[in-house]
Amino acid sequence: MIDPKPAIQPQPSQTSGSGPNKSGTGKSGKKRRFGGTEAQIRSALKFYKVLAYLTGGMLLLLCAELVARYAFGQYLFAGGTNAVTGEPFGFGFADAEPQGVLGGVNLSVAVLIVHGWMYVVYLMSNFRLWSLMRWPFAKLIVLALGGVIPFLSFFVEKRFHAEVEAELAANPQASKRY
């Protein structure tokens, strides 16, 4: 019968160059590691920046559309026929109730749809940047709120862009994966 013995992990010798700094604990006690290379992080940062500005701009359009709809009872239309006079309708605001334009394109609804899908892509860019930077979960929540609170995406983008650049500069070896 075989006696079970605990597995003994071989200890690296100090002469092979794998001291405390190679194993991840140095003078500071914790070594910064990213989830990707510097090129991947910069690519994710650029993608996030573009989506932050586009989503923020669409959110401002959405807010203006909601004010027009609920405060003034107006929709933004392009084309169609004026329901009252029967004349062609070009571009502008028309009554929501009763319907002021027959046919045409309701641009108010288009703004809703475009912002919704753009927000989904914005969330994917948030997740990509967050996972590559290995940030705490609270930062992902702050990033996600940038697409639903007016003007917040502009401020959050500026803050996190500077933070990523500072972390990359402060930890040049942390993104060396390959």
Side-chain angles (χ1 to χ4, degrees), residues 56 59-60 146 149-156:
L59 181 59
L60 294 178
I149 299 175
F151 296 106
L152 186 62
S153 68
F154 305 114
F155 297 112
V156 168

Side-chain angles (χ1 to χ4, degrees), residues 2-175:
I2 301 174
D3 278 341
K5 294 183 182 176
I8 300 173
Q9 298 295 329
Q11 296 295 326
S13 65
Q14 293 296 336
T15 58
S16 66
S18 55
N21 289 334
K22 295 277 184 177
S23 66
T25 58
K27 293 177 185 174
S28 65
K30 189 174 184 183
K31 186 175 180 183
R32 178 70 164 106
R33 297 297 296 171
F34 298 122
T37 64
E38 184 174 352
Q40 289 171 328
I41 292 170
R42 290 196 185 281
S43 172
L45 184 62
K46 187 182 296 184
F47 185 58
Y48 165 71
K49 182 176 186 170
V50 168
L51 264 297
Y53 281 105
L54 288 175
T55 304
M58 286 304 295
L59 181 59
L60 294 178
L61 279 175
L62 176 63
C63 290
E65 186 276 325
L66 291 175
V67 168
R69 180 187 300 182
Y70 294 113
F72 303 108
Q74 302 283 303
Y75 283 119
L76 183 60
F77 276 95
T81 306
N82 190 322
V84 176
T85 64
E87 296 177 6
F89 187 85
F91 177 79
F93 288 98
D95 289 335
E97 296 292 332
Q99 191 173 1
V101 174
L102 301 174
V105 177
N106 187 341
L107 295 177
S108 296
V109 172
V111 168
L112 292 168
I113 293 169
V114 169
H115 171 70
W117 282 106
M118 195 173 288
Y119 183 67
V120 170
V121 178
Y122 173 74
L123 286 176
M124 288 189 284
S125 74
N126 291 344
F127 181 78
R128 183 171 180 230
L129 182 64
W130 171 78
S131 63
L132 287 175
M133 291 302 295
R134 294 186 176 172
W135 281 332
F137 186 70
K139 286 193 179 187
L140 179 63
I141 299 300
V142 172
L143 286 168
L145 286 175
V148 293
I149 299 175
F151 296 106
L152 186 62
S153 68
F154 305 114
F155 297 112
V156 168
E157 185 280 327
K158 182 175 174 128
R159 178 175 166 234
F160 284 124
H161 186 93
E163 187 174 331
V164 168
E165 292 292 344
E167 284 192 43
L168 286 174
N171 303 292
Q173 296 298 321
S175 63

